[in-house]
Amino acid sequence: MNEKEITKKNILFLLLDKWSDWEASYLSVGIQMLAGENYSIKTVAIDKKEVLSIGGFKTLCDYNLSTVPENYEALILIGGLSWRDHKYDEVKKIINQCLEKKRILGAICDAAGFLGTIGTLNEIKHTCNNLNNLKQWAGKNYLGEDKFIPKMAVSDNNVITANGTASLEFAREVLLSLKSIPKEVVENWYQFHKLGCYVVDIPNI
């Protein structure tokens, strides 16, 4: 590993079995395209290193929860079909550590709902797939209904949440939260992928 690789800040993507391929793709590619010289994408599994996505991609993760490095810039929780299978106490621990260190925490789809089940959303503005479903799933642990915002993606106090249809909006909010990429660059990148258009300079004739 060269010196440049060592100085890069890690962005950790936590992937469960049956993770949603599309919810990670825009963000990971956006980081690499717009700030690859500053950040390194690393994947994390709960225990075993190999996880299978909904789309059938096998991912051999860089870390599991027992080997996650202490230094990282952001922890990204990707949604999927397994977040409701267990309580995932070990995931709760790393989430709380992320918040204590004031790092960026991103969660999309059912991963955002999971934050509601452990009390993370009680004091911050947030969104999720469906408010009523979140209330049923989280029960008494969720006290943040007054903080719920019916938007595709919401960023508040370094915590970004998004619903499962908002992979691009989620990526935009996380990229803006990194603060190392000019806002105009992020917005142009978003518009290009959202609308198929981008801004170019018109040459003088």
Side-chain angles (χ1 to χ4, degrees):
M1 184 179 292
N2 60 42
E3 184 177 348
K4 189 173 182 180
E5 284 293 324
I6 294 174
T7 59
K8 287 185 178 183
K9 299 177 181 179
N10 289 325
I11 308 291
L12 304 180
F13 280 65
L14 179 63
L15 308 177
L16 306 186
D17 270 323
K18 304 176 197 172
W19 60 277
S20 299
D21 313 55
W22 61 94
E23 293 174 1
S25 58
Y26 276 122
L27 177 55
S28 59
V29 172
I31 292 169
Q32 293 286 76
M33 289 178 62
L34 303 182
E37 71 280 5
N38 298 322
Y39 301 106
S40 181
I41 301 295
K42 299 295 181 182
T43 51
V44 181
I46 287 183
D47 43 25
K48 61 182 182 179
K49 283 200 168 183
E50 186 177 275
V51 291
L52 187 67
S53 74
I54 293 174
F57 285 96
K58 288 183 180 180
T59 303
L60 184 62
C61 293
D62 299 292
Y63 307 107
N64 59 37
L65 287 179
S66 63
T67 62
V68 168
E70 291 187 7
N71 294 321
Y72 58 88
E73 188 73 4
L75 173 64
I76 308 299
L77 311 178
I78 299 301
L81 302 180
S82 298
W83 281 98
R84 301 181 188 232
D85 291 350
H86 306 284
K87 292 183 179 179
Y88 295 123
D89 290 337
E90 60 271 47
V91 176
K92 179 180 178 180
K93 182 178 178 181
I94 191 175
I95 289 171
N96 288 336
Q97 289 172 345
C98 178
L99 294 171
E100 289 168 6
K101 294 177 180 179
K102 300 187 184 305
R103 307 286 166 75
I104 295 168
L105 175 64
I108 182 170
C109 196
D110 260 7
F114 179 81
L115 294 183
T117 71
I118 61 174
T120 304
L121 303 181
N122 290 343
E123 301 298 329
I124 62 167
K125 297 174 185 176
H126 62 276
T127 191
C128 64
N129 285 339
N130 180 275
L131 177 60
N132 289 330
N133 183 264
L134 173 60
K135 290 163 63 176
Q136 293 173 5
W137 180 16
K140 63 182 180 181
N141 291 327
Y142 178 65
L143 305 172
E145 184 174 356
D146 62 326
K147 302 287 186 180
F148 175 80
I149 299 176
K151 290 177 60 177
M152 296 178 76
V154 172
S155 180
D156 184 30
N157 199 27
N158 265 3
V159 178
I160 299 96
T161 51
N163 67 43
T165 70
S167 55
L168 188 53
E169 287 71 22
F170 179 61
R172 177 179 60 180
E173 294 301 327
V174 174
L175 290 170
L176 290 172
S177 295
L178 291 173
K179 298 188 185 305
S180 63
I181 311 168
K183 182 177 180 180
E184 181 181 1
V185 172
V186 175
E187 290 297 338
N188 286 342
W189 176 87
Y190 171 79
Q191 293 297 331
F192 171 73
H193 289 282
K194 187 71 174 181
L195 303 176
C197 61
Y198 57 96
V199 177
V200 295
D201 293 328
I202 299 175
N204 292 323
I205 299 175

